[in-house]
Amino acid sequence: MSTTITASAAPAPSDSPKPGYWDEAVAHLLKRDRILKRLIPSYPATWLRLRGEPFVTLTRSVIGQQIATRTAESIWQKLQAACPAPFSPETVLALDPELLRVAGLPKRKAEYIVDLALHFHEGRVHPEDWAGMDNEAVVEELTAIRGIGRWTAEMFLIFNLQRPDVLPLDDAGLIRAISHHYFSGEPVSRFEAREVAQAWQPWRTVATWYLWCSLDAVAVK
């Protein structure tokens, strides 16, 4: 399980447009949830922004699993420096594997990134089709790659495909925010979190975003 703060993939362009559904989602959440009615106005210029190419997004998500944001960013910068531009499956596969280790990647994560690059290079994943696939179909394709579990796949649905109704129950940050805001800091089960989120449908991504912001708005951005 990872926190969302390490999941935010590539930096978003500062002029990245607001998703077309965002204002409708905010209006719904303000009416349906007393906690979000209080939280959302605290972040008036905040919305989900696009996060780069699929391969880059997934690579950074793998790097960020279960480590601190600063550590993940440092490894990413070193990996970019070691890899000829543009960063792509082909340039990763051409690297001496030892350079992945020099960048700070543990052996297992280095193997995961090579496997990810192979999936893209050999056409075993179909990013050109993902926009037309439902969430579970994308998750199924992504989780066939070593090192990509449901959490990473759901982060991809949120940050890259900008799907409006994703509820990442494996995300420690979301669970922590629900515990803090809805249960006075008491431990929260997945069942209880899902019950809280019923009022958010069909905009659970947007609700999740604002709850993440309540933990660390700068890091989420």
Side-chain angles (χ1 to χ4, degrees), residues 6 19 58 95 105 115 127 218:
T6 61
L58 290 166
L95 280 180
L105 283 166
D115 191 56
V218 174

Side-chain angles (χ1 to χ4, degrees), residues 27-48:
H28 171 95
L29 295 170
L30 289 172
K31 291 179 181 178
R32 294 292 302 277
D33 188 286
R34 62 182 178 81
I35 300 297
L36 292 173
K37 184 178 180 179
R38 173 174 55 84
L39 285 181
I40 289 174
S42 300
Y43 309 99
T46 300
W47 55 81
L48 184 63

